[in-house]
Structures are given as structure tokens and as C-alpha cells.
């Protein structure tokens, strides 16, 4: 259904899908993902809902997709019904049902009234309830003669609904930002339960095997009801705020998560045992307990963790799970690639994206919003949680933290050709550093609000373009000494300059193009697919432009054409947040649940064109000679050769002048026993990577 509808929209807006082999291939090597819901099936398999589908796992098989044949890929919640039935709620408001442990799925009903659902509940007789923020609760009775979705909350009720529960066929409870909402007549009427809970934000609900209902509050309190939610009393609460999830052990001991902590109580909340204050992957988003009381936690970015049966240690449960939320990408002057992963830290690749290693202190780099690299070889990571900027001068192995306590979070960072760096601070606005981030100088225009700055683009001529939200698109040709507004009527969110006065600008749902440095603009209506939000630009070769949005993935407009082409073959997650054309010509795309690279380079530089002829150069490494095939054009260029260990540590980097045929590297390693090395040759945009076994 998604493919048919999307194709019709593309044709309607002048966009044609490409018909060829998959354009994208999944980048492997970064484990984890944002886990939205966890559930154990009656067959003792663990199910997880992601923005890229439903996955299931056992300790022996690792994770594998359970939703390949479902047109929907973005899933919000899982719920268990009677008779071994499992339900899954997609972001398009379709509920799917599985009767074989999540192996196959069939659609039950679609709610088509807009809004994004986030909660799912199933009554004992298989009534389905879904909740949408500020849009109410809807019910689907599978046993009705003419089933369909009915709104059961009043039209006048507009609340933030966090969770719903249907412990009885007649009773429905909803956790809201204004208290606990309850219906005792299948949703016909509603009232706020318990005077003590009125006006308090309830964040989570759960029912144990004895029918006891627990409600967790934002302020850390825990309430229980033993009569279906009619009456409530406060019980002992863990020493933490905002109880996000509640689960139960076989003896109905209580398990709660709060932030990055997990607590267990076996005496109805009188005392609590904390299990590891910091989970590496950040906050816990979901909980599941298996038949042996082993606890599993789904995190906000680092996949699934398993608490050992003795509850003394956590271990990652992410075998074959690679659905990272990639927020930003960068490449430095050596060709090393960097990816910032939500709640997962920064990863680096020295072999053109074929393998990835975690770089530096992952816990300290957990909230990185943006990456940038300057011409001096420094890489910068901007933290959006107010902790400042991190800098690495050794290709991401180690990071130096520069804290700016009064500046606020950093939303955007970019590096100029003169080796200076520009960053947008929430409370200080736009600032520039000429000493690798050691100090910063103001480069603001009057009245700037750093919280509105969403994007920065720098061209080769030193021009600075800033997408400043309500302040429109700002331009400076003298490094911030003077500014002028190029688009006063556009809420500017994304911008890129491709040189010679050509600009691309996006607001919430629209794309604008200028060929005269912002003096005039043309709105490109053909790119407005599904009213999606443009989130990234990537200029390609020959005037091509790639754009990423939050619904349809990636679109391409060839240079000189008006037609936009859908570029999603090979993708399973279409909320693409960042794009980058790497030095070797490979296009990378980071989504909220997957990391992708183009199957082939977008451009084939003459230096690596097979038609240019082949030759070889001789390299001596640690006393062993290696004949390395390459093109004649590459051999005639100035080549930078780097030698790395298999873990990515740089051992030596040297340049071979054009016309040279041999080089001696690592002479001090000549007597060592050997090992596996990675060699990287770089000449301009050409990057060649080889693995070499020293025996």
C-alpha cells in the first residue's frame, strides 16, 4: 500500500521512482537503535518495535526482521492479547495482528484521521485502543458486526496522553499530563480518578497478574489501585524522578525504570534495589521480563540490554541489530568518516565506511547533535545538552572537552576554509573560533536568538549563510562583520550554497532555490512530497542535488532537470536526518533507525577510472615489500599513504610525490612478528583502501 500511494504522489508532483538495482546498502558495524517497545512472545522470543520495523530475537539467533512483508516500517508499540495473539501499532495508525509469535502479521484496522499514535492497549476480549497526543483515544471492536475505529474520548478533551491500559473489558485508564483519566463503561464517559492524582503528570501504567494497577508519575511517585482504578493510594517510590516504565516479576515484585536507572522492589515499594546507575546507552525507554525473571531494557539509542540473572551486571543484547539513529556525519582532511549516533556516541571509519569503531568516551559524547571537520585535521562534536564542544586532533581516537557553562547547548557547527570554526550556541548565538575551539568571538547580528539557528552553510569563497528560523536566511560576506537578510518571509531551517550565487533553502515543508545569491527566489513545488520536512541537503557532482526528508527518504534532482527522483531502494527507514558525500564519492544517509551508503560512488574521478590504465607502486612496510596495483593517473599524483592497525590506530602517514614508485614505511616494526594492517591511499577525491597481512 505504501509503495502504491507513494508512487502516485511522486507522479502527481513530477517525481519518478528509479527502476534499477538498490541504490542504498546498509552500513554495518554500529549496533543498537532506538527501542520503542519490548515484549516477550508466548514462544519466549523477544520482540522489539523500531522506526525501521519489528524485530525478534533469542539468545541463540540474535536479532532478525519480523516485518519484511509489512508495507509499514515505522512501529510505535506492541501489546499482548489472549490466545497467544500479539498486536503491533504503526506510525500510520495501522494495527497488525500475529498469531504465530510475530513471524507473520495481518492488518486489523487502520485509523485514518491524521495524527501520530504512540500507545496501544488490548482488552481481554480483544478490543483495541490507541492513543494520539492531543487527539484522544480511539477504540476498534474486532467482535463487532461492522468493526471500525470510534473516538471514545470527548471531542473537547485535548490532553497529552502518555499511556493507556485496558485491564478489564469495561475499564480503560489513560496516563495524561494532567492526571489519570478513567472510564468504567468502555469509553462512553470519562473522569479523572483519585483526587491526589489530579493535575499531576502520569507517565506510565501497568497491571500485574493479580489485577493490581500501578501508575508512575513524572515527579517520581508511585500509586497503586486494587479495584480497577476506582481508588488509588501512594506506595513507596524509588529515589528518582519520572517513572518511565513499570514491569513485574513472577511474584509480582515491581520493576521500574527512571531515566538511566532501574529499580526492583519485592516489598511493594517499601525498599528498592538500584541496578547500575548508568546504562551506557542512555535512558531506558521500555522493559520486558522473561519467564525466568531476567530483565531486558530497551534504550533510547543503544539498543537492548540484558540484566544478568544475579542482577549484578548489564550486557548488550544487540547481536545482528544495526539500526542506529544517526544524527550527523562528517569527513576530515584525511578521509576518515565520522557518525554521531543518538545515545551511542561517535563512530569512525578509516576504510571508506566499510567498518566502524567507537571513538573516544562514548558516555561523554552521548548527546552530540552536529559534527564538523576543519582543514587543519581537527574534528568537532557539538553537544546539544549544554555540555559544550568536543575536539579530536587524532582522527577521533581521543576527544578534548571544552565546556561553556553559560552558552547553552550547541545546535550547529561548521568549519571554514581558513581553518576557523563557527558554532551556534543556544544562549550566546553565533560565535567563531580561530584557535581550534579554545576561544570564541561573537559574530552575531542584532537581536539574534541562538535557539532559532538551525543550519549553517559555508562556501569556498568564505561566504556564510545561516538558516535562523524566524530571522530568515542571513548572509555575511565578511565573516560576520555585516549581515543582511536574504529571505525575510521564510522560516529558514536548512540551507546550502553550491557556489556562484546558487542557494537552496527549506522551511518546514517547502523548498526554495535562488540563482542570484538570494536576490530572488523560486519555490520548487515538485519537491513537496507528502508535506514532508526537508532535513538535509547534499550537493552531488554535475550540479545534482540530493535532499532528505522525514517521510520519503532521499530525493535526487539531476543538474539541469526539474524532475525529482525517489532514491529509497534498499532503505527500510525513511526518516533521513543527515546526508554526506564522502571524499571517495560515496553518499551516506543517516536515518532515525538505520545507516546507509550508496552502493556505488556517485562520481568516478579520472584518477580511479579503469579506462585510464593500470600500473603499480612498491611500498616497503616493516621490512616487507608490497606491490600495490593502482591506476596510472593515481601513480602520477601526489599520494598520501597511511598505515593503521586493524583497530584503527594510526601508525604512520607519509606523502609520496608524483612520479615516485616506492616508499619505506614503519621501519621500526621490521622485526615484529606480523599482523593485519589497513593501508589507505588518497589523492584528491580518490581513496583506495587495502587490508594487508604482515607475515
Amino acid at each position: 500500500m505504501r509503495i502504491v500511494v507513494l508512487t502516485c504522489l511522486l507522479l502527481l508532483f513530477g517525481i519518478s521512482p528509479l527502476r534499477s538495482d538498490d541504490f542504498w546498502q546498509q552500513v554495518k558495524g554500529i549496533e543498537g537503535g532506538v527501542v520503542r517497545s519490548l515484549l516477550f512472545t508466548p514462544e519466549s522470543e523477544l520482540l522489539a518495535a523500531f522506526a525501521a520495523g519489528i524485530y525478534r530475537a533469542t539468545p541463540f539467533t540474535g536479532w532478525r526482521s519480523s516485518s519484511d512483508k509489512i508495507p509499514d516500517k515505522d512501529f510505535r508499540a506492541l501489546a499482548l492479547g489472549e490466545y497467544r495473539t500479539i498486536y503491533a501499532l504503526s506510525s500510520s495508525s495501522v494495527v497488525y495482528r500475529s498469531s504465530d509469535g510475530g513471524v507473520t502479521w495481518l492488518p486489523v484496522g487502520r485509523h485514518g484521521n491524521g495524527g501520530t499514535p504512540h500507545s496501544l492497549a488490548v482488552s481481554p476480549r480483544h478490543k483495541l485502543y490507541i492513543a494520539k497526543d492531543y487527539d484522544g483515544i480511539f477504540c476498534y471492536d474486532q467482535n463487532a458486526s461492522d468493526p471500525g475505529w470510534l473516538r471514545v474520548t470527548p471531542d473537547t478533551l485535548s490532553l497529552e496522553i502518555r499511556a493507556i491500559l485496558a485491564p478489564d473489558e469495561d475499564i480503560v485508564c489513560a496516563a495524561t499530563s494532567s492526571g489519570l483519566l478513567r472510564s468504567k463503561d468502555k469509553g462512553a464517559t470519562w473522569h479523572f480518578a483519585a483526587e491526589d492524582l489530579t493535575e499531576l503528570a502520569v507517565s506510565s501504567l501497568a497491571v500485574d497478574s493479580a489485577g493490581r494497577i500501578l501508575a508512575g508519575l513524572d515527579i517520581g511517585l508511585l500509586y497503586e489501585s486494587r479495584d480497577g482504578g476506582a481508588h488509588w493510594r501512594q506506595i513507596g517510590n524509588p529515589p528518582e524522578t519520572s517513572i518511565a516504565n513499570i514491569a513485574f516479576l513472577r511474584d509480582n515484585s515491581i520493576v521500574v525504570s527512571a531515566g538511566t536507572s532501574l529499580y526492583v522492589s519485592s516489598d511493594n515499594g517499601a525498599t528498592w534495589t538500584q541496578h547500575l546507575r548508568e546504562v551506557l546507552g542512555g535512558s531506558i525507554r521500555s522493559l520486558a521480563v522473561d519467564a525466568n525473571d531476567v530483565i531486558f531494557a530497551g534504550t533510547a539509542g543503544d539498543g537492548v540490554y540484558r540484566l544478568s540473572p544475579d542482577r549484578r551486571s548489564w550486557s548488550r543484547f544487540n547481536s545482528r541489530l544495526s539500526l542506529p539513529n544517526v544524527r550527523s556525519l562528517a569527513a576530515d582532511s584525511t578521509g576518515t568518516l565520522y557518525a554521531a549516533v543518538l545515545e551511542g556516541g561517535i563512530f569512525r571509519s578509516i576504510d571508506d565506511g566499510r567498518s566502524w569503531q567507537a571513538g573516544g568516551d562514548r558516555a561523554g559524547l552521548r548527546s552530540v547533535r552536529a559534527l564538523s571537520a576543519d582543514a587543519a585535521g581537527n574534528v568537532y562534536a557539538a553537544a546539544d545538552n549544554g555540555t559544550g564542544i568536543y575536539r579530536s586532533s587524532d582522527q577521533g581516537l581521543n576527544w578534548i572537552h571544552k565546556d561553556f557553562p553559560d552558552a547553552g547547548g550547541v545546535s550547529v557547527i561548521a568549519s571554514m576554509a581558513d581553518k576557523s570554526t563557527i558554532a551556534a550556541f543556544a544562549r550566546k548565538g553565533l560565535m567563531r573560533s580561530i584557535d581550534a575551539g579554545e576561544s570564541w568571538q561573537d559574530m552575531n547580528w542584532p537581536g539574534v536568538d541562538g535557539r532559532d539557528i538551525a543550519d549553517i552553510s559555508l562556501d569556498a569563497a568564505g561566504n556564510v549563510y545561516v538558516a535562523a528560523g524566524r530571522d530568515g536566511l542571513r548572509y555575511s560576506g565578511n565573516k560576520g562583520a555585516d549581515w543582511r537578510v536574504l529571505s525575510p518571509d521564510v522560516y529558514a531551517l536548512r540551507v546550502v550554497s553550491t557556489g556562484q550565487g546558487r542557494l537552496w533553502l527549506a522551511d518546514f515543508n517547502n523548498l526554495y532555490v535562488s540563482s542570484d545569491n538570494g536576490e530572488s527566489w523560486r519555490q520548487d513545488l515538485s519537491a513537496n512530497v507528502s508535506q514532508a520536512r526537508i532535513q538535509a541537503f547534499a550537493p552531488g557532482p554535475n550540479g545534482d542535488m540530493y535532499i532528505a526528508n522525514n517521510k520519503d527518504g532521499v530525493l535526487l534532482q539531476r543538474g539541469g532537470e526539474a524532475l525529482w527522483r525517489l532514491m529509497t531502494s534498499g532503505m527500510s527507514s525513511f526518516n533521513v536526518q543527515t546526508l554526506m558525500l564522502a571524499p571517495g564519492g560515496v553518499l551516506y544517509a543517516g536515518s532515525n533507525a538505520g545507516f546507509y551508503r550508496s552502493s556505488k560512488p556517485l562520481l568516478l574521478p579520472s584518477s580511479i577510472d579503469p579506462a585510464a590504465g593500470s600500473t603499480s607502486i612498491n611500498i616497503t612496510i616493516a621490512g616487507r615489500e608490497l606491490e600495490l596495483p593502482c591506476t596510472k593517473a593515481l601513480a602520477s599524483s601526489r599520494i598520501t599513504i597511511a598505515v593503521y592497525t586493524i583497530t584503527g590506530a594510526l601508525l604512520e602517514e607519509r606523502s609520496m610525490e608524483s612520479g615516485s614508485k616506492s616508499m619505506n614505511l614503519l621501519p621500526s616494526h621490521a622485526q615484529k612478528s606480523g599482523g593485519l594492517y589497513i593501508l589507505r591511499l588518497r589523492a584528491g577525491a580518490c581513496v583506495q583502501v587495502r587490508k594487508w597481512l604482515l607475515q
Side-chain angles (χ1 to χ4, degrees):
M1 175 63 74
R2 173 187 171 89
I3 296 174
V4 173
V5 173
L6 191 54
T7 301
C8 293
L9 284 170
L10 295 173
L11 294 175
L12 178 62
F13 286 103
I15 300 173
S16 65
L18 291 181
R19 300 182 182 277
S20 60
D21 295 334
D22 284 348
F23 180 82
W24 300 100
Q25 58 183 225
Q26 191 172 11
V27 173
K28 302 292 186 180
I30 303 179
E31 291 186 348
V34 180
V35 184
R36 291 171 168 169
S37 183
L38 283 178
L39 178 81
F40 269 101
T41 72
E43 291 77 18
S44 299
E45 284 194 316
L46 184 60
L47 283 187
F50 297 90
I54 303 169
Y55 283 70
R56 69 183 198 275
T58 70
F60 309 104
T61 63
W63 291 94
R64 59 200 186 279
S65 176
S66 179
S67 57
D68 287 341
K69 297 181 180 179
I70 300 177
D72 280 302
K73 297 300 179 188
D74 189 351
F75 283 86
R76 301 286 172 148
L78 300 169
L80 189 63
E82 289 189 341
Y83 312 116
R84 308 172 73 86
T85 305
I86 304 167
Y87 296 89
L89 173 64
S90 76
S91 62
S92 59
S93 301
V94 179
V95 176
Y96 292 85
R97 180 179 61 218
S98 175
S99 300
D100 55 9
V103 178
T104 59
W105 299 86
L106 293 173
V108 177
R110 177 190 182 96
H111 181 262
N113 287 351
T116 301
H118 57 81
S119 299
L120 171 66
V122 185
S123 77
R125 296 183 183 176
H126 295 275
K127 276 189 179 179
L128 305 178
Y129 294 89
I130 63 172
K132 298 184 178 183
D133 269 350
Y134 303 103
D135 197 28
I137 298 173
F138 301 83
C139 176
Y140 186 93
D141 187 353
Q142 299 183 76
N143 299 314
S145 57
D146 185 17
W149 288 101
L150 296 175
R151 180 178 179 134
V152 293
T153 48
D155 293 341
T156 56
L157 185 67
S158 179
L159 292 172
E160 180 189 354
I161 301 172
R162 277 93 172 272
I164 50 177
L165 188 69
D168 183 85
E169 192 60 29
D170 296 324
I171 297 172
V172 186
C173 298
T176 81
S177 56
S178 300
L180 186 71
L181 201 61
R182 178 177 182 264
S183 173
K184 60 181 181 180
D185 49 15
K186 304 176 185 179
T189 60
W190 294 83
H191 68 278
F192 282 102
E195 186 174 331
D196 290 347
L197 294 175
T198 304
E199 302 301 325
L200 293 177
V202 183
S203 51
S204 53
L205 291 169
V207 59
D208 68 12
S209 59
R212 176 183 55 157
I213 305 173
L214 291 189
L217 274 61
D218 272 7
I219 58 175
L221 302 180
L222 195 62
Y223 281 73
E224 74 166 6
S225 173
R226 296 180 179 270
D227 57 4
H231 302 89
W232 294 83
R233 73 179 186 93
Q234 184 182 346
I235 61 175
N237 50 278
E240 189 66 73
T241 59
S242 191
I243 299 174
N245 299 278
I246 305 171
F248 300 97
L249 304 181
R250 286 177 295 177
D251 63 358
N252 287 334
S253 293
I254 306 169
V255 182
V256 302
S257 70
T260 58
S261 299
L262 185 85
Y263 296 90
V264 178
S265 175
S266 58
D267 52 12
N268 203 36
T271 59
W272 294 87
T273 303
Q274 183 183 23
H275 296 284
L276 284 188
R277 176 66 181 85
E278 290 291 334
V279 176
L280 182 61
S283 58
I284 298 173
R285 293 279 295 270
S286 53
L287 293 173
V289 182
D290 72 6
N292 297 313
D293 281 349
V294 177
I295 301 169
F296 292 76
T299 70
D302 205 25
V304 181
Y305 280 74
R306 176 182 182 270
L307 187 60
S308 61
D310 60 10
R311 297 182 193 153
R312 293 183 179 179
S313 61
W314 290 92
S315 60
R316 302 180 82 195
F317 192 72
N318 287 338
S319 175
R320 299 176 61 188
L321 181 66
S322 183
L323 301 172
N325 186 328
V326 180
R327 307 175 85 190
S328 184
L329 298 167
D332 67 16
S333 57
T334 70
T336 301
L337 309 181
Y338 302 87
V341 178
L342 177 65
E343 300 285 7
I346 295 177
F347 289 78
R348 58 192 285 272
S349 173
I350 62 171
D351 56 3
D352 202 25
R354 293 174 178 83
S355 62
W356 294 80
Q357 303 85 35
D361 177 13
R362 292 180 64 200
L365 296 168
R366 188 179 294 160
S367 296
V368 170
R369 170 66 65 89
L371 294 170
S372 183
D374 66 19
N378 298 304
V379 184
Y380 302 91
D384 63 354
N385 60 355
T387 60
I389 293 176
Y390 294 80
R391 184 188 73 233
S392 175
S393 301
D394 59 2
Q395 296 175 290
L397 286 175
N398 299 285
W399 296 82
I400 299 171
H401 179 214
K402 300 298 296 182
D403 190 14
F404 305 98
D406 298 326
V410 184
S411 57
V412 191
I413 191 165
S415 299
M416 304 182 72
D418 64 358
K419 301 181 183 179
S420 63
T421 299
I422 299 175
F425 295 84
R427 290 196 291 269
K428 294 289 187 179
L430 204 62
M431 306 192 76
R432 178 170 174 256
S433 174
I434 59 174
D435 55 7
E438 292 297 321
S439 62
W440 296 83
Q441 295 80 42
D442 186 301
M443 60 179 300
N444 289 310
W445 56 87
V448 65
D449 188 338
R451 294 169 297 180
D452 285 340
I453 297 176
D455 200 10
I456 301 172
S457 180
L458 310 170
D459 65 19
N463 296 311
V464 182
Y465 301 88
V466 180
R470 71 191 73 186
D471 277 352
L473 177 62
R474 298 279 176 152
Y475 159 73
S476 176
N478 53 12
K479 300 177 182 177
D482 299 290
W483 293 92
R484 68 186 175 95
V485 184
L486 299 184
S487 60
D489 299 325
V490 174
Y491 196 101
L493 294 177
R494 291 291 182 269
V495 63
V496 66
S497 168
T498 54
Q500 299 181 334
R502 188 162 177 81
L503 301 173
W504 302 73
L505 176 66
D507 62 9
F508 290 103
N509 302 116
N510 303 295
L511 176 66
Y512 304 88
V513 183
S514 174
S515 300
D516 52 12
N517 202 40
E519 295 296 329
S520 61
W521 293 91
R522 172 181 59 84
Q523 185 176 358
D524 192 336
L525 297 174
S526 62
N528 192 5
V529 179
S530 304
Q531 290 292 310
R533 184 177 68 251
I534 294 174
Q535 303 189 127
F537 292 106
N542 306 314
D544 294 351
M545 178 58 71
Y546 294 83
I547 62 173
N549 67 35
N550 65 328
K551 290 184 179 180
D552 306 310
V554 179
L555 301 169
L556 163 65
Q557 186 183 74
R558 298 286 190 193
E561 295 183 2
L563 185 71
W564 285 92
R565 305 168 186 267
L566 186 66
M567 311 290 289
T568 54
S569 58
M571 277 188 170
S572 59
S573 174
F574 303 103
N575 185 356
V576 178
Q577 304 171 134
T578 180
L579 292 172
M580 181 186 68
L581 184 61
V586 175
L587 183 65
Y588 287 85
S591 78
N592 66 337
F595 190 17
Y596 305 92
R597 69 195 302 265
S598 59
S599 301
K600 300 175 183 178
L602 302 188
L603 66 163
L604 196 64
S606 60
S607 58
I608 57 174
D609 187 350
S614 61
T615 182
S616 62
I617 57 176
N618 297 314
I619 302 175
T620 301
I621 303 179
R624 279 77 160 179
E625 290 189 0
L626 171 66
E627 184 176 341
L628 193 64
C630 67
T631 66
K632 289 182 179 179
L634 181 62
S636 63
S637 304
R638 187 175 186 270
I639 305 173
T640 299
I641 303 178
V643 185
Y644 299 84
T645 66
I646 194 63
T647 60
L650 177 65
L651 297 176
E652 186 172 355
E653 184 175 38
R654 291 177 59 188
S655 294
M656 177 187 291
E657 297 301 325
S658 59
S660 299
K661 287 288 187 177
S662 62
M663 176 183 288
N664 186 19
L665 296 167
L666 303 181
S668 62
H669 286 60
Q671 304 303 319
K672 292 195 174 182
S673 59
L676 189 62
Y677 291 84
I678 296 176
L679 309 181
R680 183 172 62 189
L681 284 72
R682 188 169 185 266
C686 171
V687 178
Q688 290 188 5
V689 179
R690 297 285 188 274
K691 289 184 179 180
W692 183 56
L693 182 62
L694 177 63
Q695 298 178 330

